[in-house]
């Protein structure tokens, strides 16, 4: 019954583009090295297989990533079984056989354990293939984000010095990128993934619409012979998730100590009668003509203030986070295998809320063997996250989180179906269809989206008021978002092993998007409200061809890719005055069809096709079994996300007031990448990999303001910026042994004019004579370090396991045996910033935040139950040494905090006498704009959590 419903669930989940299969190939010879033709080689438990040719070579195409057993048999020779053959996506796994003449006195088959080479001969570009189950002993590896975090070339969402959103994420062929934002739609659970390939060098020609990286994920598939399952429960022990203790502590906050007395509300400090700030004409209602009146007013005001501070003294370090991951897979029938993985996670926020952030995820795959090597592969994904956003200033929500936070509900649903047809063992074709739907809704739970914040404040039973300590209550988030995107993808590819040395592949790809956006923003009042509403169906096409050349001393990929897209929309052709009526006659009354500005009369054009060719070349030179030299060149383009090319935001009270318009004629952002490297196998199972790279980035999108004459400017986007990125990486790994691990280091310098599309936007003004003047604010003449640049990035991962028979035996158990300890340490450069002394008018990036360090530890002890099931208990400590990392935006992009930090760290003539030289002390208290009392802000100036303890249990069935 279990396997029936698992199979049904996997089929229901499935409804991708980019087929995820590898290739097995090799030679078969006898004991004297003479090739043997006609040997049958089968993937055990499947219908995949091939026969050796006259040269003794064989090829098995269309093999999904995974671990397999391979059997070679021929009449008159002993059968050989090679176990543990690992197949990776888009790679050739070499498996050679030596068959001895059959000895009837011995009988049976010879079983051999396949060995993975320390150096991958097919290394035509920098990439890392990580099998999550092989790194499960490492601390904190439970989702895709954690897996990517094991590499050094992707930090904070930036791959090899690129901006965020320059990557392609594929899950069993499903493109899980949100086309509206360009960001990944959800974070797949690691326990459900067979392998993750992170490509940061030149990626092959089948991958399009990406500049800096490709993350290719293959879901696990059920076994051929039996069902198995696993469960992993992980909990975080109670404790604060920020430094500094409770934000509601009376002792930690000078402003709370000050206002917790009636005397202060009466103005005894000389600052005035603060009771007047309560609002609703409070002071005028009390004449305050006598001391008694003033005292009564102060008492009432202090009581009202205390009511608004009902959380005073509250502790919130008693909540447990829970994460439960489940998986089950196996054969549904002789021809069908299925797998399902699920996650149920509840995670509390840094600040107390009534509900935690809840994540529910379901991933499934099913593979149906159709005979002759042909197959139907299905995959599906469901992810839902519900929680709260709080991005505004902390004094607007801290004491009233129910109204200050915006609730959100994000749902992602995707599926793919891939039909692979195999006419013979050297050819196959496949057709893949995938669908991805993203739904996102957010808004304040206490405000009707059709109303305004001022309505609720004026007419509600409670009222917004801004107390003299500057912390507000009743101040709601006033943006409501409702966004849906659906991506339909179709791909057809053809693969043929033309000769033993040439594998040709080609394909065509099409993608259709449907975007529905209905955002109501800035709902403070009718005059402030903005509408961001549009519905469009852009589309794009792509085609690629590649020859994979495989010789003993050369493996090369020669590819060419074509991409084209059309946003399929109408846009206003006058960029400086979008609503201008081209037929306006100034000598006639400006009414009706002669209105000077009217969106219905303005000149428009249809979006056009934008197309590019991208050559790609990668070559690997296996000099020996232990030495591989590789080089790569590629041209890559990426269509700008639709939020920059199609957005339309208008002032609700005045339809002629344009806030922001997308630019459908944006050119694609382009990158040319060059790379060279060498991989070397070393004694003791070590592997060394060194590579250097250079990236030339052009046509980056930047926010810009356009206007005509003295009109109020509106926002749009233009292709304007560029970047120059160079660096090298060094990796030393040892995959096997009692002590294993890796040392990864990357050096990189990323320079340009701006670090994101929103930094230092220019303004273009057209005067009445048609002359255009450009105002450039915030950008200097010289290139600067981009604010996400991490010059040095080092990750050290070490894992050790004690021998099974270590120590004395107690009650039949050796308590010191089979313990596994794993530690990971990261050290990286801080991010560049413009110092306070340099001023904030021009970005110069003349200073750098301090180095960042973090160490995590995991200790695991396996066990076996009487039923035969195996499992393990584990303890994790995150941020073992309780180190602190400054929050970049809150410290180095907040002028007040930046000033305090620089006064302490980089003293100058501007630094007050006696100012502390401890930046933590300088930043601990935040001083408001118009009030002399300080608030403790330690909880918000660090981006990482304090030392945290996790406990866990894993069981394999």
């Amino acid at each position: 019954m279990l396997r029936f419903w698992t199979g049904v669930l996997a089929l229901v989940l499935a409804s991708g583009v980019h087929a995820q299969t590898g290739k097995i190939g090799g030679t078969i010879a006898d004991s004297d090295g003479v090739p043997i033709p006609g040997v049958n080689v089968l993937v055990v438990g499947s219908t995949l297989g091939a026969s050796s040719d006259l040269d003794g070579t064989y090829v098995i195409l269309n093999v999904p990533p995974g671990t397999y057993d391979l059997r070679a048999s021929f009449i008159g020779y002993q059968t050989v079984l090679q176990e543990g053959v690992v197949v990776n996506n888009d790679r050739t796994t070499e498996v050679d056989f030596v068959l001895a003449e059959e000895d009837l006195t011995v009988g049976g088959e010879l079983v051999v354990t396949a060995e993975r080479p320390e150096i991958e001969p097919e290394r035509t570009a920098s990439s890392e293939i990580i099998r999550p189950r092989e790194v499960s002993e490492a601390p904190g590896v439970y989702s895709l984000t954690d897996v990517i975090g094991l590499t050094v070339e992707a930090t904070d969402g930036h791959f090899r010095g690129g901006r965020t959103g320059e990557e392609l994420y594929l899950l069993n062929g499903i493109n899980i990128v949100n086309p509206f934002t360009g960001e990944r739609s959800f974070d797949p659970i690691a326990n459900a993934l067979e392998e993750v390939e992170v490509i940061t060098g030149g990626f092959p020609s089948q991958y399009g619409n990406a500049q800096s990286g490709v993350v290719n994920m293959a879901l696990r598939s059920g076994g051929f012979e039996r069902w198995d399952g696993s469960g992993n429960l992980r909990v975080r022990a109670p404790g604060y998730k920020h430094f500094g203790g409770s934000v509601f502590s009376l002792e930690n906050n000078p402003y709370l100590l000050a206002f917790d007395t009636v005397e202060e509300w009466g103005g005894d400090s000389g600052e005035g009668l603060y009771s007047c700030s309560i609002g609703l004409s409070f002071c005028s209602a009390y004449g305050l003509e006598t001391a008694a009146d003033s005292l009564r007013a102060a008492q009432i005001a202090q009581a009202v203030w205390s009511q608004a501070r009902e959380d005073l003294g509250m502790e919130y370090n008693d909540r447990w986070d829970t994460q439960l991951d489940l998986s089950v897979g196996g054969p549904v029938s002789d021809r069908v295998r299925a797998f399902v993985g699920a996650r149920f996670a509840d995670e509390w926020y840094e600040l107390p809320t009534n509900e935690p952030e809840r994540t529910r995820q379901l991933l499934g795959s099913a593979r149906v063997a159709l005979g002759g090597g042909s197959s139907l592969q299905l995959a599906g994904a469901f992810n839902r996250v519900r929680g709260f956003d709080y991005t505004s200033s902390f004094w607007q929500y801290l004491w009233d989180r129910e109204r200050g936070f915006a609730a959100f509900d994000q749902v992602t649903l995707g599926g793919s179906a891939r039909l692979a047809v195999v006419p013979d063992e050297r050819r196959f074709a496949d057709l893949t269809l995938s669908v991805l739907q993203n739904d996102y809704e957010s808004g304040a739970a206490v405000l009707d989206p059709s109303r305004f914040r001022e309505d609720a404040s004026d007419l509600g039973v409670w009222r917004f008021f801004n107390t003299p300590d500057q912390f507000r209550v009743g101040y709601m988030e006033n943006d409501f978002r409702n966004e849906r995107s659906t991506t339909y993808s179709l791909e057809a590819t053809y693969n043929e092993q033309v000769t033993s040395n040439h594998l040709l592949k080609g394909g065509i790809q099409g993608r259709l998007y449907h975007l529905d956006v209905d955002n109501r923003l800035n709902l403070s009042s009718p005059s402030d409200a903005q509408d961001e509403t549009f519905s469009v169906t852009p589309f794009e096409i792509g085609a690629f061809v590649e020859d994979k050349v495989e010789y003993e001393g050369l493996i090369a990929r020669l590819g060419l890719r074509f991409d084209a897209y059309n946003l399929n929309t109408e846009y206003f052709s006058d960029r400086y005055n979008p609503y201008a009526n081209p037929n306006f006659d100034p000598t006639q009354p400006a009414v009706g069809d002669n209105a000077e500005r009217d969106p219905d009369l303005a000149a428009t054009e249809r979006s056009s096709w934008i197309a590019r060719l991208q050559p790609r070349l990668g070559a690997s030179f296996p000099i020996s079994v232990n030495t591989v030299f590789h080089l790569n060149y590629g041209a890559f383009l990426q269509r700008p996300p639709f939020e920059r090319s199609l957005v339309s935001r208008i002032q609700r009270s005045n339809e002629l007031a344009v806030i922001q318009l997308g630019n459908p004629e944006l050119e694609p952002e382009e990158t040319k990448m060059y790379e060279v490297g060498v991989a070397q196998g070393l004694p003791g199972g070590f592997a060394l990999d060194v590579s250097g790279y250079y990236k030339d980035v052009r046509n980056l999108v930047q926010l810009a303001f356009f206007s005509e004459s003295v009109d109020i400017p509106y926002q749009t986007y233009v292709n304007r910026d560029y970047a120059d990125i160079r660096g090298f990486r060094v990796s030393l790994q040892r995959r096997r042994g009692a002590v294993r691990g890796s040392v990864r280091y990357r050096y990189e310098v990323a320079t340009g004019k701006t670090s994101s599309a929103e930094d230092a936007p220019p303004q273009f003004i057209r005067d009445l004579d048609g002359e255009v003047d450009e105002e450039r604010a915030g950008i200097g003449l010289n290139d600067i370090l981009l604010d996400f640049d991490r010059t040095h990035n080092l990750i050290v991962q070490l894992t050790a396991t004690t021998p099974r028979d270590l120590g004395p035996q107690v009650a039949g158990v050796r308590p010191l045996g089979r313990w596994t300890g794993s530690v990971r340490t990261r050290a990286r450069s801080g991010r560049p910033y413009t110092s306070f002394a340099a001023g904030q008018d021009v970005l110069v990036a003349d200073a750098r935040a301090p180095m960042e360090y973090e160490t995590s530890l995991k200790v695991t002890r396996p066990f076996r139950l009487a039923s035969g099931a195996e499992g393990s208990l584990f303890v994790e400590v995150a941020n073992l040494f309780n180190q602190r990392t400054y929050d970049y935006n809150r410290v180095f992009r907040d002028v007040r905090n930046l000033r305090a930090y620089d006064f302490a760290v980089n003293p100058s003539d501007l630094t007050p006498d006696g100012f502390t030289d401890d930046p933590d002390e300088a930043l601990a208290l935040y001083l408001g704009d118009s009030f002399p009392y300080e608030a403790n802000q330690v909880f918000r100036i660090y981006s990482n959590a304090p030392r945290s303890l996790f406990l866990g249990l894993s069981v394999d069935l």
Side-chain angles (χ1 to χ4, degrees), residues 629-778:
F629 174 77
H630 65 89
L631 57 84
N632 189 280
Y633 163 78
F636 311 94
L637 68 81
Q638 186 173 25
R639 167 190 47 74
F642 294 133
E643 68 177 354
R644 294 172 184 165
S645 55
L646 293 172
V647 68
S648 174
R649 188 183 305 169
I650 307 298
Q651 193 81 22
R652 183 182 297 180
S653 60
N654 179 7
E655 66 173 7
L656 299 182
V658 180
I659 306 299
Q660 187 177 60
L661 290 177
N663 182 0
E665 292 299 291
L666 283 174
E667 297 288 321
E669 299 176 322
E670 300 179 0
T671 294
K672 289 183 172 60
M673 187 186 307
Y674 309 81
E675 181 184 46
V676 61
V678 62
Q680 176 67 52
L682 301 174
F686 289 92
L688 177 67
D689 187 4
V690 181
S691 60
Y693 56 90
Y694 171 73
K695 293 172 65 176
D696 180 20
V697 187
R698 292 289 182 269
N699 269 357
L700 289 175
V701 172
Q702 186 177 17
L703 181 70
F705 291 89
F706 282 81
S707 65
E708 185 170 56
S709 186
V710 296
D711 289 346
I712 298 175
Y714 77 97
Q715 303 174 11
T716 188
Y717 291 90
V718 295
N719 294 105
R720 178 180 176 86
D721 212 344
Y722 60 88
D724 187 86
I725 305 158
R726 60 270 189 202
F728 68 87
R729 65 182 290 275
V730 180
S731 173
L732 180 65
Q733 295 189 67
R734 188 172 192 253
R735 286 202 302 255
R736 292 180 290 273
V739 179
R740 52 208 180 273
S742 63
V743 178
R744 295 178 172 96
Y745 169 77
R746 187 208 64 195
Y747 173 88
E748 182 178 87
V749 177
T751 59
K753 290 296 185 186
T754 59
S755 303
S756 72
E758 280 69 36
D759 281 351
Q763 183 169 345
F764 299 91
I765 305 171
R766 185 178 66 190
D767 62 25
L768 297 179
D769 296 325
E771 297 294 326
V772 176
D773 179 46
E774 178 185 349
E775 295 182 0
R776 300 176 57 183

Side-chain angles (χ1 to χ4, degrees), residues 40-44 46-50 60 69-73:
N40 291 320
V41 183
L42 295 177
V43 177
V44 176
S46 77
T47 60
L48 298 172
I60 305 175
D69 297 337
L70 224 60
R71 178 178 287 117
S73 60

Side-chain angles (χ1 to χ4, degrees), residues 1-15 219 227 326-330 332 336-344 361-367 378-382 413-416:
M1 183 62 71
L2 172 63
R3 71 178 186 176
F4 171 79
W5 284 112
T6 303
V8 170
L9 181 57
L11 292 170
V12 169
L13 280 172
S15 40
L219 283 170
W227 281 81
L326 303 172
S327 65
V328 62
V332 178
V336 180
R337 292 182 293 148
F339 170 83
V340 172
R343 167 167 291 175
F344 306 88
Q361 188 176 131
L362 198 59
L363 303 176
S365 69
R367 185 177 179 86
L378 307 172
F382 167 82
L413 183 63
S416 68

